[in-house]
Coordinates of all heavy atoms in Angstrom, one line a residue:
V47 N -43.1 -1.0 -9.7 CA -43.1 -0.9 -11.1 C -41.8 -0.3 -11.6 O -41.1 -0.8 -12.6 CB -44.3 -0.3 -11.6 CG1 -44.2 0.1 -13.1 CG2 -45.5 -1.1 -11.3
F48 N -41.4 0.8 -11.0 CA -40.2 1.6 -11.5 C -38.9 0.7 -11.4 O -38.1 0.7 -12.2 CB -40.1 2.9 -10.8 CG -41.3 3.8 -11.1 CD1 -42.2 4.1 -10.0 CD2 -41.6 4.2 -12.3 CE1 -43.4 4.9 -10.3 CE2 -42.8 4.9 -12.6 CZ -43.6 5.3 -11.6
G49 N -38.8 0.1 -10.2 CA -37.6 -0.8 -10.0 C -37.6 -1.8 -11.0 O -36.6 -2.2 -11.5
A50 N -38.7 -2.4 -11.2 CA -38.8 -3.5 -12.3 C -38.4 -3.1 -13.6 O -37.8 -3.7 -14.4 CB -40.2 -4.3 -12.2
L51 N -38.9 -1.9 -14.0 CA -38.6 -1.2 -15.2 C -37.0 -1.0 -15.4 O -36.5 -1.4 -16.5 CB -39.4 0.0 -15.6 CG -40.8 -0.1 -15.9 CD1 -41.4 1.3 -15.8 CD2 -41.0 -0.6 -17.3
L52 N -36.4 -0.5 -14.4 CA -35.1 -0.2 -14.4 C -34.3 -1.5 -14.5 O -33.4 -1.6 -15.3 CB -34.6 0.5 -13.2 CG -33.2 0.9 -13.2 CD1 -32.8 1.8 -14.4 CD2 -32.8 1.6 -11.8
E53 N -34.7 -2.5 -13.8 CA -33.9 -3.8 -13.9 C -34.2 -4.5 -15.2 O -33.2 -5.0 -15.7 CB -34.6 -4.8 -12.8 CG -34.1 -4.4 -11.3 CD -34.8 -5.4 -10.3 OE1 -35.3 -6.4 -10.7 OE2 -34.8 -5.0 -9.2
G54 N -35.4 -4.3 -15.8 CA -35.6 -4.8 -17.1 C -34.8 -4.1 -18.2 O -34.2 -4.8 -19.1
L55 N -34.7 -2.9 -18.1 CA -33.7 -2.1 -19.0 C -32.3 -2.5 -18.9 O -31.7 -2.7 -19.9 CB -33.9 -0.6 -18.8 CG -35.2 0.0 -19.2 CD1 -35.3 1.5 -18.7 CD2 -35.3 0.0 -20.7
I56 N -31.8 -2.7 -17.6 CA -30.5 -3.1 -17.4 C -30.2 -4.5 -18.0 O -29.2 -4.8 -18.6 CB -30.1 -3.0 -16.0 CG1 -30.0 -1.5 -15.5 CG2 -28.7 -3.6 -15.8 CD1 -29.8 -1.3 -14.1
A57 N -31.1 -5.4 -17.8 CA -31.0 -6.8 -18.2 C -31.0 -6.8 -19.7 O -30.2 -7.6 -20.3 CB -32.2 -7.6 -17.7
E58 N -31.9 -6.0 -20.5 CA -32.0 -6.0 -21.9 C -30.5 -5.5 -22.4 O -30.0 -5.9 -23.3 CB -33.1 -5.2 -22.4 CG -33.1 -5.1 -23.8 CD -33.3 -6.4 -24.6 OE1 -33.8 -7.3 -24.0 OE2 -32.9 -6.4 -25.8
A59 N -30.1 -4.3 -21.7 CA -28.8 -3.8 -22.2 C -27.6 -4.8 -22.1 O -26.8 -5.0 -22.9 CB -28.6 -2.5 -21.5
A60 N -27.7 -5.5 -20.9 CA -26.7 -6.6 -20.6 C -26.7 -7.7 -21.7 O -25.7 -8.2 -22.1 CB -26.9 -7.1 -19.2
R61 N -28.0 -8.0 -22.1 CA -28.1 -9.1 -23.0 C -27.5 -8.7 -24.3 O -26.9 -9.5 -25.0 CB -29.6 -9.4 -23.2 CG -29.9 -10.6 -24.2 CD -31.3 -10.8 -24.4 NE -32.0 -9.7 -25.2 CZ -31.9 -9.5 -26.5 NH1 -31.1 -10.4 -27.2 NH2 -32.4 -8.5 -27.1
R62 N -27.6 -7.4 -24.6 CA -27.0 -6.8 -25.9 C -25.5 -6.5 -25.7 O -24.9 -6.0 -26.6 CB -27.7 -5.5 -26.3 CG -29.1 -5.7 -26.6 CD -29.8 -4.4 -27.0 NE -31.2 -4.5 -27.3 CZ -31.9 -3.5 -27.7 NH1 -31.3 -2.3 -27.8 NH2 -33.2 -3.6 -28.0
G63 N -25.0 -6.7 -24.5 CA -23.6 -6.2 -24.3 C -23.4 -4.8 -24.3 O -22.3 -4.3 -24.5
E64 N -24.4 -4.1 -23.9 CA -24.3 -2.7 -24.0 C -24.4 -2.0 -22.5 O -24.7 -0.8 -22.4 CB -25.5 -2.0 -24.7 CG -25.5 -2.5 -26.2 CD -26.8 -2.0 -26.9 OE1 -27.7 -1.6 -26.2 OE2 -26.9 -2.2 -28.1
V65 N -24.0 -2.8 -21.5 CA -24.1 -2.2 -20.1 C -22.8 -1.5 -19.7 O -21.7 -2.1 -19.8 CB -24.4 -3.3 -19.1 CG1 -24.3 -2.8 -17.6 CG2 -25.8 -3.9 -19.3
D66 N -22.9 -0.3 -19.3 CA -21.8 0.4 -18.8 C -22.3 1.2 -17.6 O -22.8 2.4 -17.7 CB -21.2 1.3 -19.8 CG -19.9 2.1 -19.2 OD1 -19.5 1.8 -18.1 OD2 -19.4 2.9 -20.0
L67 N -22.4 0.5 -16.4 CA -23.0 1.2 -15.2 C -22.2 2.4 -14.7 O -22.7 3.1 -13.8 CB -23.2 0.1 -14.1 CG -24.1 -1.1 -14.4 CD1 -24.2 -2.0 -13.2 CD2 -25.6 -0.5 -14.7
S68 N -21.1 2.7 -15.2 CA -20.4 3.9 -14.9 C -21.1 5.1 -15.5 O -20.8 6.2 -15.0 CB -18.9 3.9 -15.4 OG -18.8 3.9 -16.8
L69 N -22.0 5.0 -16.3 CA -22.7 6.0 -17.0 C -24.1 6.2 -16.3 O -24.7 7.2 -16.8 CB -22.8 5.7 -18.5 CG -21.6 5.6 -19.3 CD1 -21.9 5.3 -20.7 CD2 -20.7 6.9 -19.1
V70 N -24.4 5.4 -15.3 CA -25.8 5.4 -14.7 C -25.8 6.7 -13.8 O -24.9 6.7 -12.9 CB -26.1 4.2 -14.1 CG1 -27.5 4.3 -13.3 CG2 -26.3 3.1 -15.2
S71 N -26.8 7.5 -13.8 CA -27.0 8.5 -12.8 C -28.4 8.8 -12.6 O -29.2 8.8 -13.6 CB -26.3 9.8 -13.4 OG -26.6 10.8 -12.5
I72 N -28.9 8.8 -11.3 CA -30.3 9.2 -11.0 C -30.2 10.4 -10.2 O -29.5 10.5 -9.2 CB -31.0 7.9 -10.3 CG1 -31.0 6.8 -11.2 CG2 -32.3 8.5 -9.9 CD1 -31.6 5.6 -10.5
D73 N -31.0 11.4 -10.6 CA -31.1 12.7 -9.8 C -32.5 12.9 -9.3 O -33.4 12.9 -10.2 CB -30.6 13.8 -10.8 CG -30.6 15.1 -10.0 OD1 -30.7 15.2 -8.8 OD2 -30.4 16.2 -10.7
S74 N -32.6 13.1 -8.0 CA -34.0 13.4 -7.5 C -34.2 14.8 -6.9 O -34.7 14.9 -5.8 CB -34.4 12.3 -6.5 OG -33.4 12.3 -5.4
T75 N -33.3 15.7 -7.5 CA -33.4 17.0 -6.9 C -34.7 17.6 -7.0 O -35.4 17.5 -7.9 CB -32.3 17.9 -7.7 OG1 -31.1 17.3 -7.7 CG2 -32.3 19.3 -7.3
T76 N -35.0 18.4 -6.0 CA -36.3 19.1 -5.9 C -36.0 20.6 -5.8 O -35.2 21.0 -4.9 CB -37.1 18.7 -4.6 OG1 -37.3 17.4 -4.7 CG2 -38.4 19.5 -4.5
A77 N -36.6 21.4 -6.7 CA -36.4 22.8 -6.8 C -37.7 23.4 -6.2 O -38.8 23.3 -6.8 CB -36.1 23.4 -8.2
R78 N -37.6 24.2 -5.2 CA -38.8 24.8 -4.6 C -38.9 26.3 -5.0 O -37.9 27.0 -5.2 CB -38.8 24.7 -3.1 CG -38.7 23.4 -2.5 CD -38.5 23.5 -1.1 NE -38.4 22.1 -0.6 CZ -39.3 21.4 0.2 NH1 -40.4 22.1 0.6 NH2 -39.1 20.3 0.7
A79 N -40.2 26.6 -5.3 CA -40.3 28.0 -5.7 C -40.4 28.9 -4.5 O -40.9 28.5 -3.4 CB -41.7 28.2 -6.5
H80 N -40.1 30.2 -4.6 CA -40.2 31.2 -3.6 C -41.8 31.3 -3.3 O -42.5 31.1 -4.2 CB -39.6 32.4 -4.1 CG -39.5 33.5 -3.0 ND1 -40.5 34.4 -2.8 CD2 -38.6 33.7 -2.1 CE1 -40.2 35.2 -1.7 NE2 -39.0 34.8 -1.3
H81 N -42.1 31.6 -2.0 CA -43.4 31.7 -1.7 C -44.2 32.7 -2.6 O -45.4 32.5 -2.8 CB -43.7 32.0 -0.2 CG -43.1 33.3 0.1 ND1 -41.8 33.5 0.6 CD2 -43.6 34.6 0.2 CE1 -41.6 34.7 0.9 NE2 -42.5 35.4 0.7
D82 N -43.5 33.8 -3.0 CA -44.3 34.7 -4.0 C -44.6 34.1 -5.3 O -45.7 34.3 -5.9 CB -43.4 35.9 -4.2 CG -43.3 36.9 -3.0 OD1 -44.2 36.7 -2.1 OD2 -42.3 37.7 -2.9
A83 N -43.7 33.2 -5.8 CA -44.0 32.5 -7.1 C -45.1 31.5 -6.9 O -45.8 31.1 -7.8 CB -42.8 31.9 -7.5
A84 N -45.2 30.9 -5.8 CA -46.3 30.0 -5.5 C -47.6 30.6 -5.2 O -48.6 29.8 -5.0 CB -45.9 29.0 -4.4
G85 N -47.7 31.9 -5.1 CA -49.1 32.5 -4.8 C -49.4 32.7 -3.3 O -50.4 33.1 -3.0
M86 N -48.4 32.4 -2.6 CA -48.6 32.4 -0.9 C -48.6 33.9 -0.6 O -47.6 34.6 -1.0 CB -47.6 31.7 -0.3 CG -47.7 31.8 1.1 SD -46.5 30.6 1.9 CE -46.8 30.9 3.6
H87 N -49.5 34.4 0.2 CA -49.4 35.8 0.6 C -49.3 35.8 2.2 O -50.0 35.2 2.9 CB -50.7 36.5 0.2 CG -50.9 36.6 -1.2 ND1 -50.2 37.4 -2.0 CD2 -51.7 35.8 -2.0 CE1 -50.5 37.2 -3.3 NE2 -51.4 36.2 -3.4
L88 N -48.3 36.5 2.6 CA -48.1 36.6 4.1 C -48.1 38.1 4.5 O -47.7 39.0 3.7 CB -46.7 36.1 4.4 CG -46.5 34.6 4.3 CD1 -45.0 34.2 4.7 CD2 -47.4 33.8 5.3
D89 N -48.5 38.3 5.7 CA -48.5 39.7 6.3 C -47.0 40.1 6.4 O -46.1 39.3 6.6 CB -49.1 39.7 7.7 CG -49.1 41.1 8.3 OD1 -49.8 41.9 7.7 OD2 -48.5 41.1 9.4
E90 N -46.7 41.4 6.1 CA -45.3 41.7 6.1 C -44.5 41.4 7.4 O -43.4 41.1 7.5 CB -45.2 43.3 5.8 CG -45.6 43.6 4.4 CD -44.5 43.0 3.4 OE1 -43.3 43.0 3.7 OE2 -45.0 42.6 2.3
D91 N -45.3 41.7 8.6 CA -44.7 41.4 9.9 C -44.3 39.9 10.0 O -43.3 39.5 10.5 CB -45.6 41.8 11.0 CG -45.8 43.3 11.1 OD1 -44.9 44.0 10.6 OD2 -47.0 43.7 11.6
V92 N -45.2 39.0 9.5 CA -45.0 37.5 9.6 C -43.8 37.2 8.7 O -42.9 36.4 9.2 CB -46.3 36.8 9.2 CG1 -45.9 35.3 9.1 CG2 -47.4 37.0 10.2
L93 N -43.8 37.8 7.5 CA -42.7 37.5 6.5 C -41.4 37.8 7.2 O -40.4 37.2 7.1 CB -43.0 38.1 5.3 CG -41.9 37.9 4.1 CD1 -41.8 36.5 3.9 CD2 -42.3 38.6 2.8
A94 N -41.3 39.1 7.8 CA -40.1 39.7 8.4 C -39.6 38.8 9.4 O -38.4 38.5 9.6 CB -40.3 41.1 8.8
A95 N -40.5 38.4 10.3 CA -40.2 37.4 11.5 C -39.6 36.2 10.9 O -38.7 35.6 11.4 CB -41.4 37.2 12.4
L96 N -40.3 35.6 10.0 CA -39.8 34.2 9.4 C -38.4 34.4 8.7 O -37.5 33.6 8.9 CB -40.8 33.8 8.3 CG -42.1 33.2 8.9 CD1 -43.0 32.8 7.7 CD2 -41.9 32.0 9.6
E97 N -38.2 35.5 8.0 CA -36.9 35.7 7.4 C -35.8 35.9 8.3 O -34.7 35.3 8.2 CB -37.0 36.8 6.4 CG -37.8 36.5 5.2 CD -38.0 37.7 4.2 OE1 -37.8 38.8 4.6 OE2 -38.3 37.4 3.0
K98 N -36.1 36.6 9.4 CA -35.2 36.8 10.5 C -34.8 35.5 11.2 O -33.6 35.3 11.4 CB -35.7 37.9 11.5 CG -34.8 38.1 12.7 CD -35.3 39.1 13.7 CE -34.4 39.3 14.9 NZ -35.0 40.1 15.9
A99 N -35.8 34.7 11.6 CA -35.6 33.5 12.2 C -34.8 32.5 11.3 O -33.8 31.8 11.8 CB -37.0 32.9 12.6
A100 N -35.1 32.5 10.0 CA -34.4 31.6 9.1 C -33.0 32.1 9.0 O -32.1 31.2 9.0 CB -35.0 31.7 7.7
A101 N -32.7 33.4 9.0 CA -31.3 33.9 8.9 C -30.6 33.5 10.1 O -29.4 33.2 10.1 CB -31.4 35.4 8.7
E102 N -31.2 33.6 11.3 CA -30.5 33.3 12.6 C -30.2 31.8 12.7 O -29.2 31.4 13.1 CB -31.4 33.7 13.7 CG -31.5 35.2 14.0 CD -32.5 35.6 15.0 OE1 -33.1 34.7 15.6 OE2 -32.7 36.8 15.3
T103 N -31.2 31.0 12.1 CA -31.0 29.6 12.2 C -29.9 29.1 11.1 O -29.0 28.3 11.6 CB -32.2 28.8 11.7 OG1 -33.3 29.2 12.6 CG2 -32.1 27.3 11.6
E104 N -29.8 29.8 10.0 CA -28.8 29.5 9.0 C -27.4 29.9 9.6 O -26.4 29.2 9.5 CB -29.1 30.2 7.8 CG -28.1 29.9 6.6 CD -28.1 28.5 6.2 OE1 -29.2 27.9 6.3 OE2 -27.1 27.9 5.8
K105 N -27.3 31.1 10.3 CA -26.2 31.6 10.8 C -25.6 30.7 11.9 O -24.5 30.3 12.0 CB -26.4 32.9 11.5 CG -25.1 33.6 12.0 CD -25.4 35.0 12.5 CE -24.3 35.6 13.2 NZ -24.6 37.0 13.7
A106 N -26.6 30.3 12.8 CA -26.2 29.4 13.9 C -25.7 28.0 13.3 O -24.7 27.4 13.7 CB -27.4 29.1 14.8
S107 N -26.4 27.4 12.4 CA -26.0 26.1 11.8 C -24.6 26.2 11.0 O -24.0 25.2 11.0 CB -27.2 25.6 10.9 OG -27.4 26.3 9.8
S108 N -24.4 27.3 10.4 CA -23.1 27.5 9.7 C -22.0 27.5 10.7 O -20.8 27.1 10.3 CB -23.1 28.7 8.8 OG -23.1 29.9 9.7

Side-chain angles (χ1 to χ4, degrees):
V47 170
F48 299 114
L51 283 172
L52 182 58
E53 288 176 19
L55 288 170
I56 292 172
E58 177 61 23
R61 188 184 65 75
R62 294 180 183 181
E64 300 172 346
V65 172
D66 184 0
L67 293 179
S68 69
L69 301 176
V70 174
S71 174
I72 297 176
D73 182 10
S74 63
T75 302
T76 300
R78 296 176 187 245
H80 188 270
H81 62 268
D82 288 339
M86 182 178 177
H87 300 286
L88 292 175
D89 181 62
E90 289 297 320
D91 295 336
V92 173
L93 181 59
L96 287 171
E97 289 175 343
K98 179 181 176 187
E102 290 173 359
T103 301
E104 186 65 32
K105 182 178 176 183
S107 64
S108 70

